[in-house]
């Protein structure tokens, strides 16, 4: 049986994009040193990144949010729309708050700061390839802040949740894993997974990062 994209037995193919040559070359070197990761291409802008993804069909695109021309948000939108088999992890600086929510909505799976170390980058890339979201701890508050400034979700999306689903969503927003939620609610982990799947479907959520944003925009996280 073949390993999942982020599994230990499969090489993870990555395309990266950053308009700063020194950062781009540094990332190529860093990723090249990580076991089980292959850099399939490196782009200097968003348009080139989209072309490289089309050419190489990587598991993950690692993309800078701030680039001239086609920025990271629009690049993420195009890649996710045209190549759904490629997940996206974005790199951000401390001046990119306005782009965080846009990248989340565009379909980014992971959010890293540019000072992330090799272990954090490898973990985010593999998590994204496995369909899981990763948000750097230093970005969590900023992502929540961006979500809080956005328009609230449709009332029916919130009202359609059961009391237990609201409770589970609140715990997700607090940063708890499914295992921790199960312990808190004194239920089985399979039950928690069912609640998570139901609330994601009802609210139109793709992953836990979107769930956190939804919880804060709707006020559930503060309830």
């Amino acid at each position: 049986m073949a390993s999942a994209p982020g599994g230990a037995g499969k090489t993870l193919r990555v395309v990266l994009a950053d308009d700063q040559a020194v950062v781009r070359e540094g990332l190529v070197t860093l990723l090249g040193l990580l076991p089980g990761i292959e850099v399939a291409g490196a782009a200097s802008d968003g348009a080139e990144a989209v072309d490289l993804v089309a050419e190489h069909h990587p598991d993950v695109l690692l993309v800078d949010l701030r680039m001239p021309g086609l920025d990271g948000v629009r690049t993420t939108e195009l890649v996710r729309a045209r190549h759904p088999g490629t997940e996206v992890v974005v790199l951000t600086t401390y001046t990119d708050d306005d782009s965080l929510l846009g990248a989340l909505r565009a379909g980014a799976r992971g959010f890293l700061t540019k000072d992330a170390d090799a272990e954090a980058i490898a973990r985010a890339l593999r998590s994204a390839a496995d369909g899981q979201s990763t948000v750097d701890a230093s970005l969590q508050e900023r992502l929540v802040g961006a979500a809080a400034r956005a328009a609230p979700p449709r009332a029916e999306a919130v009202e359609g949740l059961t009391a237990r689903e609201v409770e589970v969503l609140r715990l997700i927003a607090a940063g708890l894993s499914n295992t921790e939620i199960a312990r808190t609610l004194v239920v089985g982990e399979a039950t928690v997974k069912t609640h998570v799947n139901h609330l994601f479907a009802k609210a139109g959520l793709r992953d836990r990062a979107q769930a956190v944003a939804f919880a804060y925009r709707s006020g559930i996280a503060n309830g």
Side-chain angles (χ1 to χ4, degrees), residues 178-216:
N178 284 357
T179 300
E180 292 168 331
I181 292 173
R183 291 172 183 164
T184 300
L185 300 180
V186 196
V187 297
E189 190 168 347
T191 299
V192 173
K193 290 180 179 178
T194 298
H195 288 313
V196 170
N197 289 338
H198 286 171
L199 75 89
F200 275 27
K202 290 179 180 179
L205 305 172
R206 186 187 65 251
D207 53 37
R208 295 176 90 87
Q210 284 195 345
V212 171
F214 177 88
Y216 277 89

Side-chain angles (χ1 to χ4, degrees), residues 117-143:
D117 59 23
E119 182 179 349
I121 293 175
R123 183 168 57 248
L125 293 174
R126 294 197 177 281
S127 293
D130 285 335
Q132 304 297 318
S133 58
T134 301
V135 182
D136 187 281
S138 64
L139 296 177
Q140 180 91 8
E141 184 176 348
R142 291 168 53 202
L143 185 59

